[in-house]
């Protein structure tokens, strides 16, 4: 498995952005261009809780979060071998990730396999909100099964949290 792409919204100096990763990816750029933000966004999603520092209001884009503001990091995980969700029950089963299919030619996702070249993927997300009353940041890691799900903190949120065993399996941190 590997991280195919990461999307970052509202985190530090990144209002909205997407990075696609190849087999080997190197982040190069001048100081203050976002390299560390990308690495720390990956740590929020894939790091073990004890290794990830606590977020503050200054980690939100603009450093002055409103009640509706969210930090959101979404990673697309690809290269499940074999390319069959039934062969990966720890990832794809009731109460776990919903299989999605990536067309590598045009980098689009679909709920059903369209071509033989489509890759099985799942999407994992990290979301955080700032509570002005307590001055604390609440966060959650979950499978992003429904892209229409705007807010995992909403009363109608239907999300599945990611088990720590799967985060460890990825072996990122």
């Amino acid at each position: 498995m590997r991280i195919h792409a990461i999307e970052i919204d509202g985190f530090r100096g990144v209002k909205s952005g997407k990075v696609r990763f190849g087999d080997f990816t190197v982040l190069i750029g001048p100081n203050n261009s976002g390299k560390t933000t990308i690495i720390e966004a990956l740590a929020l999603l894939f790091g073990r809780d004890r290794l990830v520092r606590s977020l503050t209001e200054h980690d939100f884009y603009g450093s002055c979060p409103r009640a509706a503001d969210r930090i959101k990091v979404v990673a697309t995980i690809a290269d499940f071998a074999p390319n069959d969700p039934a062969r990966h029950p720890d990832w794809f089963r009731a109460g776990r990730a919903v299989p999605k299919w990536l067309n590598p030619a045009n980098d689009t996702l679909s709920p059903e396999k369209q071509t033989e070249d489509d890759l099985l993927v799942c999407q994992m997300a990290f979301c955080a909100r700032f509570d002005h009353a307590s001055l604390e940041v609440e966060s959650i890691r979950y499978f992003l099964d429904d892209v229409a799900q705007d807010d995992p903190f909403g009363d109608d949120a239907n999300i599945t949290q990611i088990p720590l065993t799967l985060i460890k399996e990825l072996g990122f941190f």
Side-chain angles (χ1 to χ4, degrees):
M1 288 175 282
R2 70 177 179 88
I3 302 168
H4 169 75
I6 185 170
E7 298 172 55
I8 303 170
D9 291 309
F11 184 50
R12 304 240 176 99
V14 179
K15 185 174 184 179
S16 181
K18 182 175 184 174
V19 178
R20 288 180 187 85
F21 297 101
D23 290 337
F24 301 97
T25 301
V26 178
L27 301 175
I28 300 173
N31 290 342
N32 206 30
S33 63
K35 301 178 302 290
T36 301
T37 299
I38 292 168
I39 298 302
E40 290 192 4
L42 288 167
L44 290 173
L45 190 50
F46 300 113
R48 296 192 183 144
D49 291 336
R50 70 179 191 277
L51 299 177
V52 177
R53 68 171 188 77
S54 298
L55 296 173
T56 71
E57 70 271 19
H58 301 293
D59 289 305
F60 288 77
Y61 182 79
S63 294
C64 187
R66 295 168 295 159
D69 289 344
R70 303 288 186 258
I71 292 172
K72 190 169 185 182
V73 179
V74 176
T76 302
I77 309 300
D79 289 348
F80 288 90
N83 203 32
D84 177 5
R87 301 285 303 270
H88 303 281
D90 287 347
W91 287 85
F92 304 101
R93 68 174 190 238
R96 294 288 173 99
V98 170
K100 297 179 183 178
W101 298 92
L102 172 71
N103 182 323
N106 60 19
D107 201 42
T108 58
L109 291 176
S110 64
E112 302 293 329
K113 191 172 183 177
Q114 305 293 317
T115 72
E116 277 302 310
D117 294 332
D118 285 0
L119 300 174
L120 173 65
V121 299
C122 79
Q123 288 188 298
M124 302 167 80
F126 169 90
C127 192
R129 68 178 175 181
F130 184 72
D131 181 1
H132 285 275
S134 68
L135 300 178
E136 298 281 326
V137 175
E138 181 183 2
S139 64
I140 188 169
R141 286 188 266 199
Y142 59 99
F143 290 108
L144 183 65
D145 292 333
D146 182 2
V147 293
Q149 175 82 45
D150 285 337
D151 190 1
F153 299 107
D155 292 336
D156 61 342
N158 184 18
I159 60 169
T160 302
Q161 292 193 39
I162 303 167
L164 187 57
T165 56
L166 294 184
I167 291 171
K168 287 179 183 179
E169 185 178 323
L170 285 168
F172 189 74
F173 283 102

